[in-house]
Amino acid sequence: MNTNKSPGPDGLHPNMLKQIRYSIYEPLCLLFNQIIKGNKLPNSWKKANISAVYKKSGPRSEAKNYRPISLTSVICKIFESIIRDHLMNYLNKNNLLSKDQFGFRKNMSCVLQLIKVMDDWSENFETNNQTDVIYLDFKKAFDTVPHKKLIFKLKAYGISGDIAACIEDFLSNRKQRVVVNGSFSSWKPVRSGVPQGSVLGPILFLLYINDLSDNLQSNIKLFADDTKLYRKIENANDANALQTDLNSLLEWTKIWHIDFNEDKCKSMTLYSKNLSYEYSINDKCISKVNSGCDLGIIFDKNIKFSDHVTLKVKKANSLLALIRKSFKNLDKSHGRPSTKLLSDPIWNMEMPFGVLLLLVLRK
C-alpha cells in the first residue's frame, strides 16, 4: 500500500493499516473470501469522497476544468487489487486486450505508445508523405459508462461467475459526496461510470472501450480515454477513408453511449503536401491546429519539438532561480555559491552555474 494516499469515508488511513498488517491479514482474508462467495460488498465500500483535481487547463473558476477523483475505502482497494490481478492474468493469457490500447497495462506505457506513433509518422515524413491526425476527446468518459452495458461486455469476454457478480455489486448502489476544505456535501447516488481513483475503475474502462479499434482501416492509438486516429494521405481517397473510420467511431459511441466532446477534438496535418482536407463530427468541422500536445509532448507539423524544449527549459530556469536564491552567500564574480560545496572538485570546472547546480542536485 502507498502510505501517502488519503483515506476514504471510513477514515482508515493506509499508514495505520500497514502498521497493523500482521494482525489483520488473516481476518481480511476470511472477509474477502466471504465477499467473493456471497457476491456482496459492504455498503461502506461503495461510498466515496470526491476530491476535485484541476486539469491544468482552462479557468479555475469553472467546474468543468476539474477531474473528480474518488477517495474510497483503502481495504476495498486491497480487495480490488486482488480482483484486478486475476482479471489481468486472464486477459493477458487469452490475449483479449487490444494491441492499440496503452495505459494501465504492464509493458504498455505512454512512452511506448509515443515511440510507436512517432515511428509511423517519421516513416511517412522521410518518404515525403503527409499524415493526417485526428485527436478525439471523450466527454466525461469515466463518468458516463453505463453499468449494464459494461457487465454485458465483461460476460462477452468470458468474465463470469463470482468475479462478475462481485464487480456488478461493486458498481451498484454507489454513493458519493464532494469534499472541499473539510466541508461535505450531501450523499448522492451514482447511476453510471467507473470510479476515478479506484483500482478496478481503469481496467473496467479499458474493457469497455476495448473494441473501439475493431474494423478500422486507419491507425488508432488509445491511452485510457485519449484517442488519436491517423493515416497516411496521398490523395482524396485516403482522406475519405479516414473520415469513414471517424464515422465508424461515431457509430460506436452511439451504440455504447459515450460521446465525443466536439469542441475539444482537433485535427493536425504533419508534413503538408498542400493536400488540405477537412474532417467532421456530426456535420461539424473539426478545428485544425499547427502544433499539438500528445501525452505531454509538444510538437509541430514538422514533428519538431522546439516548443516543448523551450517550455521545459523555461520551467527548469525558473526552478534553478528559486534554488539559487536559497543560498545565503554567493560569489559575485562567478555566480557560484560560497559554501562548503566549493570544496567539491566539480566546482573547479568552467561550467555555467545552472549546470553545476544540476550536477550537485543529481549527486
Side-chain angles (χ1 to χ4, degrees), residues 58-331:
R60 290 180 176 269
S61 58
E62 296 185 13
K64 66 180 182 180
N65 296 321
Y66 290 81
R67 180 177 289 106
I69 300 299
S70 299
L71 299 177
T72 58
S73 168
V74 178
I75 294 179
C76 181
K77 288 183 178 180
I78 300 172
F79 177 74
E80 290 177 63
S81 67
I82 298 172
I83 302 297
R84 177 202 59 193
D85 292 344
H86 282 284
L87 275 179
M88 292 305 298
N89 288 335
Y90 168 77
L91 295 170
N92 292 329
K93 182 179 179 180
N94 294 278
N95 197 28
L96 294 176
L97 291 174
S98 169
K99 62 180 177 60
D100 298 315
Q101 179 62 268
F102 295 75
F104 306 111
R105 299 174 59 186
K106 188 177 181 180
N107 300 324
M108 297 291 280
S109 65
C110 86
V111 174
L112 181 61
Q113 190 203 108
L114 284 169
I115 292 174
K116 288 183 176 293
V117 169
M118 289 299 173
D119 186 55
D120 291 342
W121 294 349
S122 298
E123 183 179 353
N124 292 340
F125 189 90
E126 291 172 358
T127 55
N128 297 323
N129 284 307
Q130 175 177 312
T131 304
D132 280 4
V133 187
I134 301 175
Y135 287 95
L136 300 169
D137 184 84
F138 283 108
K139 185 186 298 182
K140 298 181 180 179
F142 277 75
D143 301 324
T144 56
V145 173
H147 292 162
K148 289 185 178 180
K149 289 182 178 289
L150 173 58
I151 298 300
F152 171 81
K153 285 201 170 187
L154 293 180
K155 293 180 178 179
Y157 287 118
I159 301 169
S160 57
D162 291 335
I163 297 296
C166 282
I167 294 175
E168 186 171 5
D169 188 69
F170 170 77
L171 295 171
S172 63
N173 300 318
R174 298 192 67 87
K175 293 182 179 180
Q176 63 185 23
R177 63 183 179 182
V178 179
V179 181
V180 179
N181 295 331
S183 299
F184 301 89
S185 70
S186 59
W187 290 104
K188 297 294 181 181
V190 180
R191 297 185 175 87
S192 65
V194 293
Q196 295 192 57
S198 66
V199 176
L200 270 178
I203 305 303
L204 295 178
F205 182 78
L206 292 190
L207 283 170
Y208 192 74
I209 66 170
N210 192 51
D211 61 332
L212 181 66
S213 60
D214 291 353
N215 304 317
L216 296 180
Q217 299 177 21
S218 305
N219 298 295
I220 187 172
K221 291 292 182 288
L222 305 98
F223 187 86
D225 59 339
D226 290 326
T227 306
K228 49 181 168 283
L229 183 70
Y230 63 93
R231 185 184 181 90
K232 180 170 68 175
I233 303 297
E234 295 181 306
N235 49 51
N237 291 333
D238 292 326
N240 291 334
L242 186 59
Q243 179 64 57
T244 299
D245 286 334
L246 180 56
N247 294 337
S248 297
L249 294 180
L250 291 173
E251 289 298 321
W252 185 94
T253 61
K254 292 177 181 178
I255 295 173
W256 298 106
H257 296 167
I258 295 185
D259 298 324
F260 288 125
N261 190 337
E262 300 173 5
D263 295 331
K264 291 187 177 181
C265 294
K266 309 291 182 184
S267 69
M268 187 174 177
T269 296
L270 305 176
Y271 187 69
S272 176
K273 294 180 64 179
N274 296 322
L275 300 176
S276 181
Y277 301 102
E278 290 187 344
Y279 304 97
S280 61
I281 295 180
N282 297 325
D283 298 326
K284 182 178 180 180
C285 287
I286 301 175
S287 59
K288 278 195 170 188
V289 294
N290 292 322
S291 64
C293 183
D294 194 334
L295 298 180
I297 305 297
I298 303 171
F299 59 93
D300 60 22
K301 60 183 180 180
N302 293 317
I303 321 183
K304 293 184 178 180
F305 307 94
S306 56
D307 291 342
H308 183 83
V309 173
T310 300
L311 178 63
K312 296 304 177 183
V313 169
K314 183 179 179 181
K315 288 184 177 180
N317 285 332
S318 298
L319 180 59
L320 284 171
L322 290 175
I323 297 174
R324 189 175 185 274
K325 290 179 180 179
S326 66
F327 286 96
K328 186 175 182 179
N329 299 310
L330 290 174
D331 186 334

Side-chain angles (χ1 to χ4, degrees), residues 4-33:
N4 295 320
K5 295 292 185 180
S6 301
D10 56 11
L12 297 177
H13 199 282
N15 188 38
M16 181 198 72
L17 294 173
K18 190 168 185 177
Q19 296 298 324
I20 63 173
R21 60 189 181 278
Y22 295 115
S23 300
I24 64 173
Y25 75 86
E26 190 170 350
L28 285 182
C29 180
L30 296 173
L31 174 63
F32 292 166
N33 283 325

